[in-house]
């Protein structure tokens, strides 16, 4: 009987201890909460299927937009280079290269401006093409943010501000890009 009595006392002590631990865990910042936090990120097969179908629907609706953005982002700069080379008068280019070579041979003290050599990379057309390309790549990042928001809505994260997340992301992204471009533009003119 003494063993049964000690067992009952231990059970009472264990339940009292468990109650204290659970109240301590409930008031803690992280202890005992990692598994419940991780459970939020575990997706069932149905959730994954629903996410993929919703993302596919969004992509399917705007396939043309994506093709245009990819073309502008990765093909526009090389395409404008081809156009520049076709439209550039080859005779002037040969004269510029020959006169630069003569300057190098004849006078070592003469400084040659490599920025005005007439190449595509030093032209205003190139700068324009690079800016269009960068803007298209940023638009694809905003599009990716839209897809993430759709996926979060699908899983059940329906916060009221989700509709504004993509807009806010786009504003911050484009504003910081424009500020960076303006800073580089200013630096270019100050060093010139």
């Amino acid at each position: 009987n003494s063993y049964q009595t000690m067992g009952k006392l231990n059970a009472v002590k264990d339940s009292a201890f468990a109650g204290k631990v659970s109240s301590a865990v409930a008031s803690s910042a992280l202890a005992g909460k990692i598994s419940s936090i991780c459970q939020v990120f575990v997706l069932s097969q149905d959730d994954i299927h629903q996410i993929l179908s919703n993302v596919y629907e969004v992509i399917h609706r705007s396939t043309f937009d994506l093709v245009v953005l990819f073309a502008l982002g990765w093909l526009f700069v090389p395409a404008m280079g081809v156009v520049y080379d076709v439209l550039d008068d080859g005779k002037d280019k040969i004269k510029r290269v020959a006169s630069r070579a003569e300057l190098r041979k004849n006078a070592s003290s003469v400084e040659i401006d490599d920025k005005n050599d007439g190449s595509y990379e030093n032209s205003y057309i190139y700068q324009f093409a690079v800016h269009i390309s960068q803007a298209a790549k940023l638009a694809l990042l905003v599009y990716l943010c839209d897809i993430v928001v759709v996926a979060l809505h699908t899983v059940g994260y329906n916060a009221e501000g989700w509709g504004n997340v993509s807009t806010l992301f786009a504003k911050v992204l484009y504003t910081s890009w424009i500020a960076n471009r303006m800073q580089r533009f200013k630096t270019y003119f100050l060093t010139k």
Side-chain angles (χ1 to χ4, degrees), residues 78-91 93 118 120 125:
M80 290 303 289
V82 170
V83 170
Y84 182 84
D85 287 341
V86 168
L87 296 178
D88 188 30
D89 187 19
K91 295 175 189 174
K93 195 174 193 179
Y120 171 61
I125 294 172

Side-chain angles (χ1 to χ4, degrees), residues 29-80:
L30 190 60
K33 296 181 181 179
I34 294 175
S35 65
S36 62
I37 290 171
C38 291
Q39 290 296 322
V40 171
F41 297 109
V42 175
L43 299 174
S44 68
Q45 195 172 17
D46 292 337
D47 288 341
I48 293 171
H49 177 60
Q50 188 65 32
I51 288 171
L52 291 177
S53 66
N54 286 350
V55 167
Y56 174 76
E57 184 179 330
V58 169
I59 291 172
H60 184 69
R61 285 185 193 173
S62 56
T63 304
F64 181 74
D65 297 343
L66 286 174
V67 169
V68 168
L69 289 175
F70 275 111
L72 287 175
W74 282 273
L75 300 176
F76 191 64
V77 173
M80 290 303 289

